Short mmCIF file of all heavy atoms in Angstrom, two decimals:
data_model
loop_
_atom_site.label_atom_id
_atom_site.label_comp_id
_atom_site.label_asym_id
_atom_site.label_seq_id
_atom_site.Cartn_x
_atom_site.Cartn_y
_atom_site.Cartn_z
N CYS W 2 69.93 100.15 97.10
CA CYS W 2 71.05 100.59 96.26
C CYS W 2 70.93 102.06 95.87
O CYS W 2 71.93 102.70 95.50
CB CYS W 2 71.17 99.72 95.02
SG CYS W 2 69.69 99.70 93.99
N ASP W 3 69.72 102.62 95.96
CA ASP W 3 69.51 104.03 95.57
C ASP W 3 69.89 105.01 96.69
O ASP W 3 70.09 106.20 96.41
CB ASP W 3 68.05 104.25 95.18
CG ASP W 3 67.65 103.41 93.97
OD1 ASP W 3 68.44 103.39 93.00
OD2 ASP W 3 66.58 102.79 94.02
N ILE W 4 69.91 104.55 97.92
CA ILE W 4 70.17 105.48 99.03
C ILE W 4 71.42 105.09 99.84
O ILE W 4 71.71 105.66 100.89
CB ILE W 4 68.96 105.57 99.99
CG1 ILE W 4 68.65 104.19 100.60
CG2 ILE W 4 67.74 106.14 99.27
CD1 ILE W 4 67.59 104.26 101.69
N ILE W 5 72.16 104.12 99.35
CA ILE W 5 73.33 103.61 100.07
C ILE W 5 74.42 104.68 100.23
O ILE W 5 74.63 105.50 99.32
CB ILE W 5 73.88 102.36 99.34
CG1 ILE W 5 74.96 101.70 100.15
CG2 ILE W 5 74.42 102.75 97.98
CD1 ILE W 5 75.45 100.39 99.52
N LYS W 6 75.10 104.67 101.36
CA LYS W 6 76.29 105.50 101.56
C LYS W 6 77.50 104.61 101.32
O LYS W 6 77.70 103.60 102.00
CB LYS W 6 76.33 106.03 102.99
CG LYS W 6 75.23 107.03 103.29
CD LYS W 6 75.24 107.40 104.76
CE LYS W 6 74.13 108.39 105.07
NZ LYS W 6 73.98 108.65 106.52
N THR W 7 78.30 104.99 100.36
CA THR W 7 79.39 104.10 99.93
C THR W 7 80.75 104.48 100.50
O THR W 7 81.74 103.81 100.20
CB THR W 7 79.47 104.10 98.39
OG1 THR W 7 79.67 105.46 97.94
CG2 THR W 7 78.21 103.52 97.77
N ASN W 8 80.79 105.53 101.31
CA ASN W 8 82.12 105.99 101.78
C ASN W 8 82.24 106.11 103.30
O ASN W 8 82.81 107.08 103.80
CB ASN W 8 82.47 107.33 101.14
CG ASN W 8 81.46 108.40 101.50
OD1 ASN W 8 80.37 108.09 101.99
ND2 ASN W 8 81.82 109.65 101.27
N PRO W 9 81.68 105.17 104.08
CA PRO W 9 81.88 105.26 105.52
C PRO W 9 83.33 104.89 105.88
O PRO W 9 84.04 104.28 105.07
CB PRO W 9 80.91 104.23 106.08
CG PRO W 9 80.85 103.19 105.01
CD PRO W 9 80.92 103.95 103.72
N ILE W 10 83.73 105.23 107.08
CA ILE W 10 85.05 104.81 107.57
C ILE W 10 85.01 103.31 107.82
O ILE W 10 84.10 102.81 108.49
CB ILE W 10 85.43 105.55 108.86
CG1 ILE W 10 85.50 107.05 108.60
CG2 ILE W 10 86.75 105.04 109.43
CD1 ILE W 10 85.68 107.88 109.86
N ILE W 11 85.98 102.59 107.25
CA ILE W 11 86.03 101.14 107.45
C ILE W 11 87.44 100.74 107.92
O ILE W 11 88.38 101.52 107.80
CB ILE W 11 85.65 100.37 106.18
CG1 ILE W 11 86.66 100.65 105.05
CG2 ILE W 11 84.23 100.71 105.75
CD1 ILE W 11 86.44 99.79 103.82
N LEU W 12 87.54 99.53 108.43
CA LEU W 12 88.83 98.98 108.84
C LEU W 12 89.14 97.73 108.05
O LEU W 12 88.23 96.96 107.71
CB LEU W 12 88.84 98.61 110.33
CG LEU W 12 88.90 99.73 111.37
CD1 LEU W 12 88.89 99.10 112.76
CD2 LEU W 12 90.13 100.60 111.21
N ASN W 13 90.42 97.53 107.77
CA ASN W 13 90.88 96.26 107.21
C ASN W 13 91.15 95.31 108.36
O ASN W 13 91.61 95.73 109.42
CB ASN W 13 92.15 96.50 106.39
CG ASN W 13 92.63 95.25 105.70
OD1 ASN W 13 93.23 94.37 106.32
ND2 ASN W 13 92.37 95.16 104.40
N GLU W 14 90.89 94.04 108.19
CA GLU W 14 91.06 93.08 109.28
C GLU W 14 92.50 93.01 109.80
O GLU W 14 92.75 92.50 110.89
CB GLU W 14 90.62 91.68 108.82
CG GLU W 14 91.48 91.10 107.71
CD GLU W 14 91.07 89.69 107.35
OE1 GLU W 14 90.43 89.01 108.18
OE2 GLU W 14 91.38 89.26 106.20
N LYS W 15 93.47 93.51 109.05
CA LYS W 15 94.86 93.48 109.48
C LYS W 15 95.23 94.68 110.35
O LYS W 15 96.34 94.75 110.90
CB LYS W 15 95.79 93.47 108.25
CG LYS W 15 95.61 92.26 107.35
CD LYS W 15 95.92 90.96 108.09
CE LYS W 15 95.82 89.77 107.15
NZ LYS W 15 96.02 88.49 107.86
N GLN W 16 94.29 95.63 110.48
CA GLN W 16 94.58 96.79 111.32
C GLN W 16 94.45 96.41 112.80
O GLN W 16 94.13 95.28 113.16
CB GLN W 16 93.64 97.95 110.94
CG GLN W 16 94.00 98.56 109.60
CD GLN W 16 93.10 99.72 109.22
OE1 GLN W 16 92.08 99.52 108.56
NE2 GLN W 16 93.48 100.92 109.63
N THR W 17 94.72 97.38 113.69
CA THR W 17 94.84 97.09 115.11
C THR W 17 93.70 97.70 115.92
O THR W 17 92.94 98.53 115.42
CB THR W 17 96.17 97.64 115.66
OG1 THR W 17 96.12 99.09 115.61
CG2 THR W 17 97.36 97.15 114.85
N ILE W 18 93.66 97.30 117.19
CA ILE W 18 92.71 97.89 118.13
C ILE W 18 92.94 99.39 118.24
O ILE W 18 91.98 100.18 118.31
CB ILE W 18 92.85 97.24 119.53
CG1 ILE W 18 92.17 95.88 119.54
CG2 ILE W 18 92.22 98.10 120.61
CD1 ILE W 18 90.67 95.92 119.53
N ASN W 19 94.19 99.81 118.25
CA ASN W 19 94.47 101.24 118.33
C ASN W 19 93.88 101.99 117.14
O ASN W 19 93.38 103.11 117.27
CB ASN W 19 95.98 101.49 118.42
CG ASN W 19 96.53 101.19 119.80
OD1 ASN W 19 95.83 101.35 120.79
ND2 ASN W 19 97.77 100.73 119.86
N ASP W 20 93.93 101.37 115.96
CA ASP W 20 93.31 101.98 114.78
C ASP W 20 91.80 102.12 115.00
O ASP W 20 91.21 103.16 114.67
CB ASP W 20 93.56 101.12 113.54
CG ASP W 20 95.02 101.08 113.14
OD1 ASP W 20 95.71 102.10 113.33
OD2 ASP W 20 95.48 100.03 112.66
N ALA W 21 91.20 101.08 115.57
CA ALA W 21 89.77 101.13 115.85
C ALA W 21 89.44 102.23 116.85
O ALA W 21 88.46 102.97 116.67
CB ALA W 21 89.29 99.78 116.39
N LEU W 22 90.24 102.34 117.91
CA LEU W 22 90.01 103.38 118.92
C LEU W 22 90.13 104.77 118.30
O LEU W 22 89.38 105.69 118.64
CB LEU W 22 91.00 103.23 120.07
CG LEU W 22 90.78 102.03 120.99
CD1 LEU W 22 91.97 101.83 121.91
CD2 LEU W 22 89.51 102.20 121.80
N ASN W 23 91.08 104.94 117.39
CA ASN W 23 91.28 106.24 116.76
C ASN W 23 90.15 106.59 115.79
O ASN W 23 89.84 107.77 115.61
CB ASN W 23 92.61 106.25 116.00
CG ASN W 23 93.81 106.23 116.93
OD1 ASN W 23 93.72 106.68 118.07
ND2 ASN W 23 94.92 105.69 116.46
N CYS W 24 89.54 105.57 115.19
CA CYS W 24 88.54 105.81 114.14
C CYS W 24 87.10 105.83 114.64
O CYS W 24 86.24 106.46 114.02
CB CYS W 24 88.66 104.76 113.05
SG CYS W 24 90.19 104.84 112.10
N ILE W 25 86.81 105.13 115.74
CA ILE W 25 85.42 104.92 116.14
C ILE W 25 84.69 106.23 116.41
O ILE W 25 83.51 106.37 116.11
CB ILE W 25 85.32 103.97 117.37
CG1 ILE W 25 83.88 103.53 117.61
CG2 ILE W 25 85.91 104.60 118.61
CD1 ILE W 25 83.37 102.52 116.65
N GLY W 26 85.41 107.20 116.95
CA GLY W 26 84.78 108.49 117.24
C GLY W 26 84.40 109.26 116.00
O GLY W 26 83.50 110.10 116.02
N GLU W 27 85.07 108.98 114.90
CA GLU W 27 84.79 109.68 113.64
C GLU W 27 83.73 108.98 112.81
O GLU W 27 83.24 109.53 111.82
CB GLU W 27 86.08 109.80 112.83
CG GLU W 27 87.18 110.58 113.53
CD GLU W 27 88.47 110.54 112.74
OE1 GLU W 27 88.39 110.39 111.49
OE2 GLU W 27 89.54 110.66 113.34
N ALA W 28 83.39 107.76 113.19
CA ALA W 28 82.42 106.97 112.42
C ALA W 28 81.01 107.49 112.71
O ALA W 28 80.44 107.25 113.77
CB ALA W 28 82.52 105.50 112.78
N LYS W 29 80.43 108.19 111.77
CA LYS W 29 79.13 108.83 111.98
C LYS W 29 78.00 107.82 112.19
O LYS W 29 76.95 108.14 112.75
CB LYS W 29 78.81 109.73 110.80
CG LYS W 29 79.76 110.92 110.68
CD LYS W 29 79.41 111.80 109.50
CE LYS W 29 80.38 112.97 109.40
NZ LYS W 29 80.10 113.84 108.22
N ILE W 30 78.22 106.59 111.76
CA ILE W 30 77.18 105.57 111.92
C ILE W 30 77.30 104.85 113.26
O ILE W 30 76.49 103.99 113.59
CB ILE W 30 77.23 104.54 110.78
CG1 ILE W 30 78.64 103.98 110.60
CG2 ILE W 30 76.72 105.16 109.49
CD1 ILE W 30 78.75 102.87 109.57
N GLY W 31 78.33 105.17 114.07
CA GLY W 31 78.46 104.60 115.41
C GLY W 31 79.16 103.26 115.45
O GLY W 31 79.26 102.65 116.51
N TYR W 32 79.62 102.76 114.30
CA TYR W 32 80.38 101.51 114.29
C TYR W 32 81.32 101.53 113.10
O TYR W 32 81.23 102.39 112.20
CB TYR W 32 79.46 100.30 114.24
CG TYR W 32 78.53 100.24 113.04
CD1 TYR W 32 78.96 99.73 111.81
CD2 TYR W 32 77.21 100.71 113.13
CE1 TYR W 32 78.12 99.69 110.72
CE2 TYR W 32 76.36 100.66 112.04
CZ TYR W 32 76.81 100.16 110.84
OH TYR W 32 75.98 100.12 109.74
N LEU W 33 82.23 100.56 113.07
CA LEU W 33 83.20 100.45 111.99
C LEU W 33 83.03 99.11 111.28
O LEU W 33 83.24 98.06 111.88
CB LEU W 33 84.63 100.53 112.54
CG LEU W 33 85.04 101.84 113.21
CD1 LEU W 33 86.36 101.64 113.93
CD2 LEU W 33 85.16 102.95 112.17
N PRO W 34 82.66 99.12 109.99
CA PRO W 34 82.68 97.86 109.23
C PRO W 34 84.13 97.38 109.07
O PRO W 34 85.04 98.18 108.88
CB PRO W 34 82.08 98.25 107.88
CG PRO W 34 81.31 99.51 108.15
CD PRO W 34 82.08 100.22 109.21
N VAL W 35 84.32 96.07 109.20
CA VAL W 35 85.65 95.48 109.03
C VAL W 35 85.61 94.56 107.83
O VAL W 35 84.73 93.69 107.73
CB VAL W 35 86.08 94.69 110.29
CG1 VAL W 35 87.48 94.11 110.10
CG2 VAL W 35 86.03 95.58 111.53
N VAL W 36 86.57 94.75 106.91
CA VAL W 36 86.58 93.96 105.68
C VAL W 36 87.89 93.20 105.55
O VAL W 36 88.91 93.56 106.14
CB VAL W 36 86.36 94.86 104.44
CG1 VAL W 36 85.02 95.57 104.51
CG2 VAL W 36 87.50 95.87 104.29
N THR W 37 87.85 92.14 104.75
CA THR W 37 89.06 91.36 104.47
C THR W 37 89.86 92.05 103.37
O THR W 37 89.42 93.06 102.79
CB THR W 37 88.70 89.95 104.02
OG1 THR W 37 88.02 90.03 102.75
CG2 THR W 37 87.79 89.25 105.03
N ALA W 38 91.00 91.49 103.05
CA ALA W 38 91.85 92.06 102.00
C ALA W 38 91.16 92.05 100.64
O ALA W 38 91.45 92.86 99.77
CB ALA W 38 93.16 91.28 101.92
N THR W 39 90.19 91.13 100.46
CA THR W 39 89.46 91.05 99.18
C THR W 39 88.15 91.83 99.20
O THR W 39 87.36 91.74 98.26
CB THR W 39 89.18 89.58 98.84
OG1 THR W 39 88.41 88.99 99.91
CG2 THR W 39 90.48 88.81 98.67
#
């Protein structure tokens, strides 16, 4: 909790593959976390 990065690029599960393709290159960690609406 002391070294966590809290602002990576993430996707909502309702977004699309095109959104993922557009974002993956900008994700410095090499992947995109996907979260639900909650």
Side-chain angles (χ1 to χ4, degrees):
C2 58
D3 298 315
I4 60 172
I5 188 175
K6 293 174 181 172
T7 57
N8 61 345
I10 299 172
I11 63 173
L12 286 180
N13 184 283
E14 65 176 339
K15 299 298 183 184
Q16 288 181 269
T17 67
I18 282 288
N19 284 329
D20 293 326
L22 289 169
N23 291 333
C24 293
I25 192 75
E27 300 174 27
K29 294 180 180 178
I30 52 175
Y32 58 84
L33 296 169
V35 181
V36 300
T37 66
T39 58

